[in-house]
Amino acid sequence: MFLVFAMTTDAVGVIIPELIREFSLSHTAAGAFHYVPMAAIGLSGILLGFLADKFGRKLTVILGLILYALACFLFIAGSTFGFFVALLAVSGVAIGVFKTGALALIGDISSSGREHTSTMNLVEGFFGVGAIAGPALVAYLLANGVSWKYLYVIAGGICMGLVVLAACVNYPVTQGAHRPQVDLRRTLAMTRNPYALGFSLAAALYVGTEAAIYVWMPTYLLGYDGSAVWLASYSLTVFFVLRAGGRFLGGWVLQRCRWTAVMLWFSAAIFLCYLGSMIFGVGAAVYLLPLSGLFMSMMYPTINSKGISCFPKGEHGTVAGVILFFTALAAAAGPLLMGVFSDLMGGDARYGFYLATVFAGLLCLGMLYNHLRNPTRQLLAALEASEYSGRSSE
């Protein structure tokens, strides 16, 4: 599931230049292909995330997958920018539904907090593979004279196969005794929880930093004419390969190192990559921005895992929806603001990356605080002792 929706969400950096040419759009308008589905994912997460806790992971996942597949298939029937953006909004709602179900399911199949984080990195590794496959598939389609719209048709076909698989798999039953009232009111109340809010803000800062790469880096590097033109051409692929590879290694690293230290080291490396790119210009950015993918690899899965693990399993769908809301909000607002800044400065994407550098710096400061204070240590230990003590399946 993570692989297939990554194929579409992370391919926008390759699609946006085509949209600008095809529909004569500004950077801000073309960016709607990214920020509209991200906003829909966020609203779906916070308004519908409780469905996974109320009605079960299986039904939630299947319903989300079916809606996502239908939205993808309808791309072939459209020809206007507005129609495509509307379909992206529907697909965003669908992603929010099945992703919260999937995130809650990770807690159900994990026997410890450490395993939860390791599994989250593994799953996000497949997201990384989809992020490689999507842009590569769009490039292949365009090179052969086929419209980028068929990326969504292919994703819809894969998704229907996932519906069949999801219907056949036996899902675990959460055995925890903590069963609060599960509804939208409970979700909104959770936004005031300091742990949910803290991890949500950390996820938002990370995603605002990361989205700058896959949305605007190809546009920023278009004017590069130095000795590494080949790297500029494949910069997004290099970024995604490094990010995916790092996530598959994430479980191994986190088994051997303190997670707060890893987050601090990696966030500092990300900030230095951005800062170096802004100080030394596009000649350095062609190397440093793709390299940042290696350090981004374990950030989001670990932040997400630790945030969800701060709550009992019966609330994992709800808290996953809250974190997803802030994540998607940042993924929508960050590139949108970057596009606005770029347009205000004559269409130069470099000015948008100044803002992304600020996001990276704030993320690093947050990880420094987390490492020095480690505010969740006792809570995570207590919940691990009570929540990961056994499970059955249905």
Side-chain angles (χ1 to χ4, degrees), residues 35-331:
Y35 60 74
V36 167
M38 290 298 108
I41 290 173
L43 291 173
S44 177
I46 199 164
L47 298 178
L48 303 175
F50 70 91
L51 295 179
D53 295 330
K54 191 175 184 68
F55 298 110
R57 321 313 194 198
K58 187 170 190 173
L59 179 60
T60 304
V61 166
I62 292 174
L63 288 177
L65 287 174
I66 290 174
L67 181 60
Y68 178 74
L70 290 175
C72 287
F73 286 137
L74 286 174
F75 266 84
I76 198 65
S79 59
T80 65
F81 182 71
F83 180 75
F84 297 142
V85 171
L87 289 180
L88 288 173
V90 175
S91 70
V93 172
I95 290 171
V97 171
F98 74 70
K99 186 175 181 179
T100 52
L103 292 174
L105 184 61
I106 291 174
D108 296 344
I109 64 174
S110 300
S111 59
S112 69
R114 190 178 292 269
E115 183 183 348
H116 188 283
T117 303
S118 179
T119 304
M120 189 75 78
N121 273 272
L122 177 63
V123 170
E124 291 285 356
F126 282 95
F127 180 94
V129 173
I132 299 168
L137 185 54
V138 172
Y140 177 80
L141 292 173
L142 295 175
N144 287 274
V146 181
S147 172
W148 53 265
K149 295 188 294 184
Y150 283 91
L151 168 71
Y152 295 90
V153 177
I154 293 170
I158 297 173
C159 201
M160 290 309 299
L162 292 177
V163 171
V164 176
L165 290 175
C168 296
V169 170
N170 290 324
Y171 287 62
V173 176
T174 305
Q175 296 297 315
H178 187 83
R179 294 289 184 179
Q181 179 68 30
V182 178
D183 53 24
L184 179 58
R185 184 178 303 175
R186 172 71 181 173
T187 302
L188 296 177
M190 191 173 286
T191 60
R192 298 191 295 271
N193 182 287
Y195 297 107
L197 184 59
F199 280 103
S200 294
L201 291 177
L205 285 172
Y206 166 74
V207 170
T209 304
E210 180 199 52
I213 298 290
Y214 63 80
V215 176
W216 292 121
M217 183 175 67
T219 304
Y220 178 39
L221 298 181
L222 278 177
Y224 176 78
D225 58 358
S227 59
V229 172
W230 66 272
L231 181 56
S233 301
Y234 294 98
S235 59
L236 199 57
T237 300
V238 172
F239 171 82
F240 285 141
V241 168
L242 291 175
R243 191 184 65 172
R247 283 178 176 173
F248 282 117
L249 291 173
W252 182 86
V253 172
L254 291 168
Q255 289 281 351
R256 290 157 176 79
C257 302
R258 184 180 171 188
W259 75 272
T260 59
V262 174
M263 294 298 100
L264 174 59
W265 300 335
F266 280 27
S267 63
I270 294 167
F271 175 61
L272 290 176
C273 285
Y274 274 75
L275 186 63
S277 298
M278 296 303 97
I279 292 175
F280 299 107
V282 70
V286 73
Y287 298 102
L288 292 177
L289 291 181
L291 177 63
S292 69
L294 179 62
F295 307 114
M296 289 186 187
S297 58
M298 285 182 283
M299 294 295 297
Y300 181 70
T302 304
I303 292 171
N304 208 15
S305 171
K306 296 304 181 184
I308 293 172
S309 296
C310 284
F311 295 84
K313 288 185 178 183
E315 298 181 79
H316 278 194
T318 303
V319 69
V322 172
I323 296 175
L324 182 60
F325 169 74
F326 284 92
T327 298
L329 181 65

